[in-house]
Amino acid sequence: MPHPESIAQRLARFNTEAELAPANIWIDRKAVAAGADSGPLAGLLAAVKDNIDVAGFPTTAACPSFAYEPTRSATVVERLLAAGASVVGKTNLDQFACGLVGTRSPYGPVQNAFKPEYVSGGSSSGSAVAVALGLVDVSYGTDTAGSGRVPAGLNNIVGLKPSRGLMSTRGVVPASQHIDCVSIFARTVPQAIEVLMAVAGHDPECPYSRHLPLDPAAMPEQFRFGLPNAEQLEFFGDKQAQAAFDAAVVALEGLSGTASRIDYAPMLEAATALYEDVWVADRYAAIREFFDTRPDEIDPTVRTIIGAGQKYVAADVFTAMGRMGLLRQYADSLWKDIDVLVVPTAPTAHTIAAVQADPIVRNRELGYYTNFVNLLDLSAIAVPASIRPDGLPFGITLIGPSGSELRLADLAQRFHQQTGLTLGATGEPLPAAKPIPRVPGSTVKVAVVGAHLAGLPLNSQLLERGARLLSTVKTAPHYRFYALAGTVPPKPGMLRVAKDGAAIEAEVWEMPMTAYGSFVAGIPGPLGIGSIELEDGSRVQGFLCEASALEGAEDISEFGGWRAYLGRAKAAA
């Protein structure tokens, strides 16, 4: 939806506020890449991490001697502009996107939006803090090991890490190009998903892009969430973080979630492999020529990490791929028993001084819950959970299989809404929940009037197919309603009539189109699915019955709905 202020008004305010922002967020904000006049993102201001090309801005990857002037924007930027957003600056990062701390930049460390002595998280540090402070509406980061999630968790914003290949990486300076993702920062879950829906999609110019349909199924109202075994949870002595996570688990249970424990060891093995095995060779390959010819111009910590990739040979790669494939099989098996995996976004928060004193160990600690996600081909969304007693934000991350972004977003918004938190570091209240958009044509609306209503015996047939309740409505006053004889469980029948009709209470559910066929096939005669007219004149698919079913049935139209009839029957008993 277009922003109420004009772009000119917003830019004037942006320039004033940006001048007052903490130092080292921006690498370049002198130019503006203006978006289209209309589109789903019209009027939004965006920032872009400076390892992603924007025509008119230099790309430095936080290494001035590496800088170049792109003549074309990255695919994700082209699509962002086409959707109406305007890019107002390039943001600071850990050099070559190597780090989870936000301190490895010649432009200086990016300070936490809440407590400046603490790290902001990286490598997408500037992008996250610009959103947290309200300087821009949304921003792009990248995520290889957690760079789109850790900064979100440490700055009280949403960080969406899409499935690999869902968003193009053409025009992105890679960190580890086989598993890199462009990530999205926003202050609310719906805003992040709106950006995703506007820019995602296959790109034939990107070698890692893939045709990946989003699962349209909703997160069930009653969901199962996995947690690492208690002895595998790690907070590195941070009691406040541990207490915040325990409280988040209780809140999830309060949202009708059921917790179960999983073995986190395979995830830890994958996480360790990202920096301490052959996979680091992908980082070396990404900047090999520059690394070999100008190593002294690279941050010493970054040079140490990437340089470790030089020792591996091709045979090591194939051995590691086989082992990672087995770990991926384990991850895939989880979804039979849980709907979502829940972990802390970061196990603790470090000061800038502590990171500078021991940069590799402190960085490794921050990646305890993030490093494995891309290697195991999973999707994730980091969402704020609370503000700790010491004033630092704490967040959790919801993790699901590839393509599950919309399901994760359903639960992420439900969780965010009950936190009572304000937006980022702005102090602004969290707006009311918005429907998470679905891919057009991927779902179908179904009106139910009887045993499939929420909480009634056949409602499970909707829930197990990933359907979600949209609204409670009434039909147009063109129907007669009957309690059918001899049905188990008891069911009503609704019949359209030419006169003397009544309006009947109904629930409208949204179901994935892929599940709709099996749902309809399971409906026993004389019931069936037809077109139902609602009180607002719209039509959806819904339950009707054949006239022959009315023999021995009781006309219950006067009750106006199945629940009212059941209430009468219960009272009479």
Side-chain angles (χ1 to χ4, degrees):
M1 183 174 179
H3 197 278
E5 294 179 301
S6 70
I7 285 291
Q9 290 172 319
R10 298 208 70 204
L11 286 175
R13 184 160 54 80
F14 163 78
N15 287 328
T16 300
E17 293 173 350
E19 292 290 351
L20 300 175
N24 308 323
I25 292 175
W26 305 101
I27 288 179
D28 190 313
R29 63 174 192 86
K30 298 180 178 66
V32 175
D37 293 335
S38 62
L41 306 180
L44 294 186
L45 298 187
V48 174
K49 184 178 181 179
D50 195 33
N51 64 333
I52 303 174
D53 288 346
V54 182
F57 294 79
T59 299
T60 76
C63 182
S65 56
F66 177 82
Y68 61 91
E69 295 275 353
T71 58
R72 181 184 174 190
S73 295
T75 298
V76 290
V77 174
E78 291 178 341
R79 293 178 179 178
L80 186 74
L81 297 173
S86 293
V87 174
V88 297
K90 301 293 290 293
T91 55
N92 203 355
L93 66 150
D94 282 320
Q95 191 177 78
F96 293 115
C98 187
L100 292 172
V101 287
T103 64
R104 301 170 180 172
S105 170
Y107 303 102
V110 179
Q111 300 168 332
N112 186 281
F114 285 75
K115 301 189 77 171
E117 67 271 27
Y118 280 80
V119 298
S120 57
S123 60
S124 310
S125 50
S127 291
V129 174
V131 169
L133 294 175
L135 302 176
V136 292
D137 302 301
V138 296
S139 66
Y140 278 152
T142 59
D143 191 309
T144 305
S147 300
R149 289 162 281 156
V150 170
L154 295 180
N155 292 281
N156 194 41
I157 61 172
V158 172
L160 173 61
K161 189 220 74 69
S163 306
R164 283 166 31 193
L166 184 59
M167 290 174 62
S168 171
T169 55
R170 185 203 63 77
V172 178
V173 178
S176 185
Q177 54 192 334
H178 289 83
I179 60 170
D180 280 347
C181 299
V182 174
S183 60
I184 300 167
F185 293 113
R187 289 184 291 277
T188 68
V189 173
Q191 184 73 87
I193 293 295
E194 286 171 7
V195 174
L196 177 72
M197 300 294 275
V199 304
H202 181 253
D203 178 8
E205 296 184 83
C206 173
Y208 308 103
S209 182
R210 53 183 176 167
H211 295 279
L212 184 63
L214 293 176
D215 183 354
M219 183 66 69
E221 290 295 316
Q222 297 179 335
F223 59 93
R224 306 160 301 166
F225 66 100
L227 302 170
N229 286 326
E231 67 275 12
Q232 295 170 323
L233 283 169
E234 180 61 75
F235 298 94
F236 302 101
D238 190 335
K239 299 298 185 183
Q240 291 194 34
Q242 185 172 1
F245 185 63
D246 291 344
V249 171
V250 172
L252 286 165
E253 291 173 333
L255 293 173
S256 299
T258 300
S260 61
R261 297 289 178 173
I262 66 146
D263 182 9
Y264 193 63
M267 280 70 171
L268 288 177
E269 182 181 342
T272 300
L274 185 60
Y275 279 104
E276 300 177 25
D277 202 342
V278 67
W279 302 98
V280 77
D282 202 17
R283 291 183 178 270
Y284 169 62
I287 59 167
R288 182 175 183 175
E289 181 179 354
F290 185 83
F291 188 97
D292 289 347
T293 58
R294 306 169 79 170
D296 293 340
E297 298 177 31
I298 299 174
D299 175 272
T301 302
V302 174
R303 185 170 66 241
T304 298
I305 294 169
I306 295 178
Q310 293 176 299
K311 65 184 180 183
Y312 296 101
V313 298
D316 297 326
V317 176
F318 289 104
T319 300
M321 287 172 62
R323 180 57 188 164
M324 196 58 64
L326 290 177
L327 296 177
R328 197 172 295 127
Q329 294 287 348
Y330 170 76
D332 290 344
S333 72
L334 292 175
W335 315 120
K336 294 180 296 186
D337 301 314
I338 61 174
D339 297 299
V340 59
L341 173 63
V342 179
V343 296
T345 299
T348 186
H350 292 306
T351 64
I352 292 174
V355 168
Q356 291 174 334
D358 199 346
I360 292 179
V361 171
R362 299 289 86 81
N363 188 94
R364 184 187 301 122
E365 290 171 353
L366 289 179
Y368 188 87
Y369 296 110
T370 60
N371 286 357
F372 65 91
V373 174
N374 278 345
L375 283 171
L376 299 185
D377 196 17
L378 304 172
S379 59
I381 184 166
V383 63
S386 61
I387 302 297
R388 301 162 25 143
D390 62 3
L392 285 168
F394 178 82
I396 62 171
T397 295
L398 311 180
I399 301 170
S402 178
S404 64
E405 283 77 5
L406 303 183
R407 285 171 59 88
L408 296 179
D410 285 335
L411 179 56
Q413 179 172 223
R414 285 166 57 189
F415 179 84
H416 198 191
Q417 285 287 320
Q418 59 80 45
T419 63
L421 292 170
T422 53
L423 296 174
T426 67
E428 298 174 6
L430 183 67
K434 294 175 60 177
I436 300 300
R438 258 57 188 178
V439 178
S442 65
T443 60
V444 60
K445 294 179 181 179
V446 181
V448 298
V449 295
H452 288 87
L453 293 167
L456 295 189
L458 298 184
N459 185 246
S460 61
Q461 295 180 0
L462 293 169
L463 296 177
E464 67 192 14
R465 289 170 172 81
R468 61 173 181 150
L469 178 61
L470 294 181
S471 59
T472 298
V473 299
K474 287 187 176 182
T475 70
H478 306 317
Y479 299 91
R480 300 302 296 177
F481 200 48
Y482 301 87
L484 301 180
T487 56
V488 180
K491 302 181 186 72
M494 191 168 71
L495 187 71
R496 188 176 179 101
V497 293
K499 59 181 181 177
D500 299 326
I504 306 302
E505 184 177 281
E507 290 176 353
V508 178
W509 290 70
E510 185 178 57
M511 179 185 297
M513 185 64 77
T514 53
Y516 183 57
S518 67
F519 177 71
V520 173
I523 298 171
L527 297 176
I529 292 288
S531 179
I532 304 294
E533 184 180 356
L534 303 181
E535 60 184 343
D536 64 0
S538 64
R539 285 184 173 273
V540 297
Q541 298 296 293
F543 279 84
L544 293 169
C545 74
E546 301 172 7
S548 60
L550 303 184
E551 184 174 349
E554 178 187 0
D555 190 329
I556 57 172
S557 304
E558 63 183 295
F559 292 95
W562 189 238
R563 290 188 193 279
Y565 169 73
L566 292 179
R568 190 285 307 260
K570 183 177 180 180

